[in-house]
């Protein structure tokens, strides 16, 4: 299972002065090669970083397969705010992927057939599902028992419901969350405990 991908840049080693106070011919050639080499531009992530994207792709709808993903929101860049997540989702109507890691290191999330937004009621389609890595990937798809897919309030985001419980919910500060078995997805508790604290969160949309 992959976590965040960190890229490291090796610092140039210090060059020791030669007795004559000048660089040798080999050192001059190396320096010229360094100056001539074009600087590599940092790569933008092209797939979700918090989850094993290759495994998850097998469960995505055919309409999504083959498309690239664009990072719309992440707590490391945009802060811990549900309002910010909604704001970054504006203008996107298509599918969205939510991936998060809690303070225990557990990774889980949801695929939504529609971008996350404020709503008066539940929205979405049966393509929506929940998933977790514990540590192997488990996917919880729509059971057909109800249509409580996604609901976005100012103070919370909810996915899946039944008997007053939510399959996954996040608070307005994107710090606390919860997961319970629900009729929509017949899911297990996604985290190690029903209540959890969020360490990192990403929301992706189709490019």
């Amino acid at each position: 299972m992959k976590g965040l991908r960190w890229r490291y840049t090796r610092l140039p080693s210090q060059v020791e002065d030669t007795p004559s106070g000048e660089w040798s011919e080999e050192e001059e050639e190396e320096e010229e090669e360094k100056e001539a080499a074009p600087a590599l531009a940092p790569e933008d992530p092209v797939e979700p970083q918090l989850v094993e994207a290759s495994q998850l792709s097998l469960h995505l709808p055919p309409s999504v397969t083959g498309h690239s993903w664009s990072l719309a929101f992440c707590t490391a860049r945009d802060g811990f705010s549900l309002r910010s997540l909604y704001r970054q989702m504006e203008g996107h109507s298509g599918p969205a992927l939510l991936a998060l890691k809690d303070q225990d290191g557990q990774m889980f999330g949801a695929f939504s057939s529609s971008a996350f937004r404020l709503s008066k009621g539940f929205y979405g389609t049966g393509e929506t599902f929940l998933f977790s890595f514990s540590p192997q990937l488990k996917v919880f798809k729509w059971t057909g028992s109800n249509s409580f897919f996604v609901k976005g309030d100012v103070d919370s985001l909810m996915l899946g419901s039944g008997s007053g419980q939510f399959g996954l919910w996040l608070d307005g500060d994107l710090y606390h969350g919860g997961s319970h078995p629900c009729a929509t997805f017949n899911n297990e508790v996604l985290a190690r405990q029903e209540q959890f604290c969020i360490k990192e969160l990403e929301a992706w949309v189709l490019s």
Side-chain angles (χ1 to χ4, degrees):
M1 178 175 62
K2 295 186 293 186
L4 286 175
R5 299 174 181 172
W6 299 97
R7 296 185 177 87
Y8 297 90
T9 301
R10 184 183 298 276
L11 295 175
S13 59
Q14 294 181 344
V15 178
E16 298 180 359
D17 291 336
T18 60
S20 62
E22 297 178 355
W23 288 0
S24 66
E25 292 182 1
E26 292 182 355
E27 290 172 331
E28 288 179 353
E29 290 177 356
E30 290 178 0
E31 188 65 21
E32 288 176 357
E33 290 177 358
K34 290 179 182 178
E35 293 178 354
L40 295 177
E43 296 179 1
D44 293 328
V46 293
E47 63 180 22
Q49 306 290 288
L50 285 177
V51 296
E52 183 64 63
S54 59
Q55 292 184 37
L56 196 60
S57 63
L58 300 176
H59 300 275
L60 298 176
S63 59
V64 175
T65 305
H67 292 274
S68 58
W69 293 90
S70 175
L71 182 62
F73 174 90
C74 70
T75 51
R77 181 189 67 192
D78 304 304
F80 287 77
S81 168
L82 183 58
R83 290 176 182 266
S84 295
L85 188 153
Y86 290 145
R87 190 159 49 246
Q88 295 297 100
M89 286 279 172
E90 291 178 358
H92 299 283
S93 59
L97 185 65
L98 185 72
L100 62 92
K101 178 193 289 185
D102 67 11
Q103 296 287 358
D104 292 328
Q106 185 77 357
M107 299 182 188
F108 49 93
F111 171 83
S112 172
S113 59
S114 304
F116 301 111
R117 55 181 171 81
L118 286 169
S119 62
K120 294 182 179 179
F122 282 89
Y123 62 90
T125 71
E127 292 181 333
T128 303
F129 63 81
L130 303 178
F131 63 86
S132 69
F133 288 88
S134 58
Q136 299 300 318
L137 173 63
K138 293 184 179 180
V139 174
F140 306 98
K141 297 198 173 184
W142 182 42
T143 62
S145 62
N146 63 41
S147 299
F148 302 145
F149 300 114
V150 186
K151 187 176 186 294
D153 290 342
V154 174
D155 298 323
S156 61
L157 177 65
M158 297 152 281
L159 295 100
S161 185
S163 302
Q165 304 283 5
F166 301 106
L168 176 63
W169 70 267
L170 310 174
D171 72 357
D173 293 328
L174 293 184
Y175 182 69
H176 293 99
S179 176
H180 300 83
C182 72
T184 311
F185 303 111
N186 191 31
N187 59 286
E188 301 173 358
V189 175
L190 302 180
R192 293 178 182 174
Q193 302 178 19
E194 292 183 343
Q195 307 294 325
F196 57 83
C197 293
I198 301 170
K199 183 177 181 179
E200 301 174 73
L201 182 145
E202 297 174 348
W204 294 74
V205 296
L206 291 182
S207 299

